[in-house]
Each structure stands twice: as structure tokens, then as C-alpha cells.
Amino acid sequence: MSDAAGWQLWEVFVRPRTGLSHKHVGSLRAADARMALENARDVYTRRGEGVSLWVVPSALIVASDPDERAELFDPALDKTYRYPSFFEVPDGVANL
Amino acid sequence: MYTQGLDRPDQFADQPPGQYPAPDSAALDSAALERFDARIAAEDKIEPTDEMPAGYRRTLIRQISQHAHSEIVGMQPEGNWLTRAPTLRRKAVLLAKVQDEAGHGLYLYSAAETLGVSRDELVDALLDGSAKYSSIFNYPTLSWADMGTIGWLVDGAAIMNQVPLCRCSYGPYARAMIRICKEESFHQRQGFDIMLSLSRGTPAQRAMAQDALDRWWWPSLMMFGPSDADSTHSAQTMAWKIKRFSNDELRQRFVDVTVPQAEFLGLTVPDPGLRWDTATGHYTFGEPDWSEFAAVLAGRGPCNRQRLAHRRAAHEDGSWVRDAAVAHATKRRRPAAAAS
């Protein structure tokens, strides 16, 4: 009974209102892009959750490898000088 | 709408082993298990690509897919009254509610798919009867008042269970539950609103409301699953922080909040053993008939066959639509090839 094969997986992104980015809200199955948009509207925006939808075939998303998480993201952890709070500002100095 | 009543150790004994693929079925080594346990202890969320024990993955696939099936089958008892709603307003509200249940099923199937199982496998498991869904949906909806009791009690019981699931350790499930919980409270209130109208109505309407409460009270209590003493499976899901409270804790909480609502409606909860215990600050209540629960779960409830037959028929009747959509999509992808 695998007759739904061919309905690929799509990731759904909703822009809650203009001025905000589209945000990933979930996924769904659809036969083509138009159906994916129509289904996304019914499944993810029944209560005014958005003003714009993106649907992207899940297979097209390129993701970082979870096994490389440490190599990719740990180096950022020891560079606290990237934050303004790293530097001491002497008393009496303003607007810095 | 769903609660954890399916969470029993023995009911899967009849399922073929390896029905679901476990992509990381190779056991995690002890260091990896320690890392996993430490993340769970630290309230870290587990995401689809993270390493996880095969048992955790299997448990989640089972629980999330059963939850999805419950939402899908759960449309039937209420769908039964869509065309006979007493007013256009009630009909519009009920339609919106039933549509939400379909949506909940779809969020949850997607969440289950992140664990490496395909949608088709999940749907097939429902249709061939090997997957379970919440036993509450195997009871018939005999009167319009049943729409009230389902929203008020069944969705009310579901909320009791689902709110803690928003903090479930598995990210996609927790996120789906947050969406679902936002929508469930509409379901519960629309049900209570029906009960309120009936309870303020004619003697016949009040009798209809009381009859519905009489029939749905005990099955609603069963939705929380067997008592803690008989639910050994719960310990592991609690340790994994999939589940946060025990069946009995949630059932007690449900009774404590629901009985005053029934009193407000002027209805009588059909439990002669029900009384307020001033010492504990909780209601004492009777034991559900667990033999009935076991029978319904085993397929011998009033509507088990009808529910599954209806779902199968709907699936088969819709197959030409699914095929046509694929054919259309394929044709549109190759317009040049088709033209030449």
C-alpha cells in the first residue's frame, strides 16, 4: 500500500509578519510544489500564523554533519574577545 | 486528542519485531550512552541527527505514531455529527475542530518521520491493524451531547497529558506538542460550551447531557492508562524524559479539575465512590473497569472494526487521487520531453 510513494517530503517555513524572517515550522508530504504550498497553508497557518510561506524539498537542504559539531562550533567558544563584555571599560568613560 | 493509555508493556507483544527500521540499531557504546544520559539529565533536547539509544528511538516512533493514528481515527466519532450539528455555528466550530485533528495527525507523522521511519510504513501499520490508537475512539457517538463530552472530557484528558509532553526530551515531538496544545484548549472549551447549552436547556437536553457524561466518564479515565503499579513500561519513558508524570498522577489531576466543572453544569459524575477528601485535598474515586479497557485495546470495543474499516475504505477510495497527483507532478517536471 505504498502508493503515496512519490509524495516527497517538504520543509515548511512561515513568515509570521512582515519585518520578521521566515522560520521553520515543520514538514509535510506533497506531490509537487503547488500542493506543498496548499497543504502548508492548511496544516501550518490555520490561525493567522503567517503572511508568507516557503516550501523546500527536504532532500535539497544541505546540513552540517552532526559528527563534525565539535570541529565546527567549539572554536567559537574560546573567543570571548568577540563580545564587548570581554573588555573592561574604566569608570568615567561614556558612550562606548 | 490523545493520552498515554496505550503505554502498556504487553500490548506490543503481538507486533512483528523489527517492524520499524532503526537506523542506528547498532547499540551505542558505553561512552555514547553516558553522553546521552548526561544530555537527558541536563534537560538538553535530543534532535533527529543526534546519537540516541535504539530503544529510545523505537519508543518514540511507537508513541508518536500511535499519537498520530489517534488523531486521524479520532476524526471519525465527531465526523459522525458534522452533518447533524444543531446550528450552522456549531457546525462551523465542529468542522474547525475536526480539521485541527487532521492537522495534529500530520504534525505528528512528520515528527515520527524524523526518526527514520517512512510515512507509508506508518500508514500501512495503522491500516493493517498492527499499530494501535487510543481506545477512546472505539466508542460510538450516539447523540449530539457526545460532541460536548468528547471536547470537554476527552480533549480535557488529552490536555492533561499533552502539556507535559511539550517538555519531552525529543525536540521534534516537543515542538509538535506545543502547536497541538495551543489548539487543544479551543477543543475543550467548545465541548464545554455545548454541555453548558444543554445543561441550561430543556429537561430532555439535560438528560441528553447526563447520558453522555454517564457513557464517557469511565472511558475518559481509562485514557490515562493502567495504574502505575501495572505500568512497568512507564519507568523507562520517565527516565528518558519522554513522559513527565505517571498515569495515576495525571488521572488524579483530571478528576480534581473536572468534577467541579460537572457540578457547575449540574450533572452527576457516574461514580458512587466519588468523594472529596479534605485530608488529602483531592477527590477519591472508583477504579475503572480495566477488563473493559483491555478488551477495547485488544480490538473488542464497540466500534473497533468500524473505525478501521472506514479508514481503510477512505485510504483506498483516495488512492486514485494520490496517483493522479503523482502523475501530474511527473508530467509537469518533464514538459519538454512530453512535447517532443
Side-chain angles (χ1 to χ4, degrees):
Chain A
M1 273 189 273
S2 303
D3 52 2
W7 284 38
Q8 64 182 140
L9 198 60
W10 300 75
E11 299 303 319
V12 180
F13 299 80
V14 175
R15 184 201 291 281
R17 57 178 190 270
T18 53
L20 295 177
S21 306
H22 286 75
K23 186 170 176 289
H24 183 246
V25 292
S27 44
L28 50 77
R29 295 246 165 208
D32 59 23
R34 187 174 153 189
M35 185 193 277
L37 268 181
E38 287 167 356
N39 288 357
R41 180 244 185 207
D42 285 346
V43 176
Y44 291 104
T45 62
R46 288 194 302 280
R47 287 178 174 76
E49 288 92 336
V51 296
S52 166
L53 280 167
W54 288 350
V55 291
V56 182
S58 310
L60 294 186
I61 291 191
V62 181
S64 62
D65 183 344
D67 290 338
E68 290 174 3
R69 189 195 296 191
E71 294 94 305
L72 285 171
F73 305 111
D74 285 0
L77 298 178
D78 60 2
K79 295 183 180 60
T80 50
Y81 45 81
R82 285 189 161 136
Y83 299 93
S85 56
F86 178 80
F87 302 94
E88 255 181 53
V89 178
D91 287 344
V93 178
N95 299 318
L96 196 67
Chain B
M1 56 163 95
Y2 167 83
T3 65
Q4 61 203 17
L6 299 164
D7 196 9
R8 278 158 46 107
D10 54 339
Q11 72 178 103
F12 304 105
D14 56 346
Q15 287 195 15
Q19 180 189 339
Y20 299 118
D24 65 347
S25 54
L28 295 187
D29 62 33
S30 60
L33 263 179
E34 263 176 45
R35 280 198 299 276
F36 179 82
D37 289 342
R39 291 186 63 187
I40 295 287
E43 295 287 334
D44 201 1
K45 296 288 186 205
I46 308 301
E47 294 294 344
T49 52
D50 294 341
E51 58 188 7
M52 62 185 91
Y56 179 82
R57 183 185 298 277
R58 237 182 359 254
T59 300
L60 278 169
I61 289 175
R62 194 185 62 218
Q63 180 169 336
I64 301 172
S65 64
Q66 285 175 350
H67 192 160
H69 300 327
S70 301
E71 303 282 357
I72 297 301
V73 176
M75 289 192 281
Q76 291 185 40
E78 289 174 306
N80 183 35
W81 281 89
L82 279 174
T83 57
R84 293 177 287 163
T87 66
L88 191 55
R89 173 176 166 271
R90 292 288 186 201
K91 184 175 184 174
V93 169
L94 189 60
L95 263 175
K97 193 218 182 237
V98 172
Q99 190 191 15
D100 275 353
E101 307 298 357
H104 296 178
L106 294 176
Y107 309 151
L108 289 163
Y109 281 131
S110 300
E113 282 190 275
T114 63
L115 290 156
V117 62
S118 79
R119 182 80 55 111
D120 285 337
E121 285 172 273
L122 297 173
V123 170
D124 287 352
L126 172 63
L127 297 179
D128 71 20
S130 59
K132 303 287 184 195
Y133 55 86
S134 188
S135 58
I136 192 83
F137 303 120
N138 291 315
Y139 289 88
T141 44
L142 303 179
S143 79
W144 170 251
D146 290 21
M147 299 303 97
T149 39
I150 287 181
W152 172 40
L153 299 179
V154 176
D155 289 282
I159 289 170
M160 278 296 156
N161 181 53
Q162 290 174 341
V163 168
L165 283 175
C166 295
R167 294 190 292 126
C168 161
S169 60
Y170 187 58
Y173 193 26
R175 290 192 287 275
M177 290 319 305
I178 289 169
R179 292 190 65 85
I180 289 173
C181 283
K182 280 184 189 163
E183 299 174 353
E184 289 285 3
S185 83
F186 145 59
H187 298 177
Q188 192 187 19
R189 285 196 189 182
Q190 66 85 35
F192 189 79
D193 191 60
I194 291 172
M195 298 305 280
L196 199 58
S197 294
L198 292 173
S199 69
R200 289 173 175 171
T202 64
Q205 286 172 316
R206 283 199 296 278
M208 190 195 276
Q210 181 63 51
D211 168 65
L213 174 59
D214 290 347
R215 284 182 289 107
W216 289 92
W217 175 256
W218 291 108
S220 298
L221 291 194
M222 292 175 200
M223 286 177 70
F224 295 97
S227 74
D228 297 347
D230 300 323
S231 183
T232 50
H233 197 68
S234 297
Q236 183 60 73
T237 52
M238 300 248 306
W240 278 330
K241 295 187 181 169
I242 293 172
K243 174 174 163 179
R244 300 276 178 167
F245 299 99
S246 77
N247 297 354
D248 286 337
E249 280 177 289
L250 292 167
R251 186 166 19 244
Q252 180 71 56
R253 204 179 293 177
F254 175 76
V255 171
D256 286 348
V257 304
T258 309
V259 170
Q261 294 165 356
E263 285 168 359
F264 182 88
L265 293 171
L267 300 176
T268 307
V269 171
D271 178 356
L274 184 75
R275 64 181 174 80
W276 176 252
D277 185 338
T278 42
T280 61
H282 294 288
Y283 283 95
T284 306
F285 55 96
E287 195 71 21
D289 178 357
W290 292 116
S291 63
E292 176 184 322
F293 178 71
V296 177
L297 216 50
R300 300 191 300 276
C303 299
N304 293 58
R305 259 179 285 181
Q306 183 188 337
R307 298 289 184 241
L308 212 51
H310 185 81
R311 185 88 285 281
R312 281 188 192 126
H315 189 77
E316 283 158 21
D317 291 348
S319 75
W320 71 269
V321 179
R322 293 189 294 278
D323 293 344
V326 172
H328 179 70
T330 309
K331 194 172 76 184
R332 301 258 305 196
R333 269 200 299 274
R334 296 196 224 100
S340 61

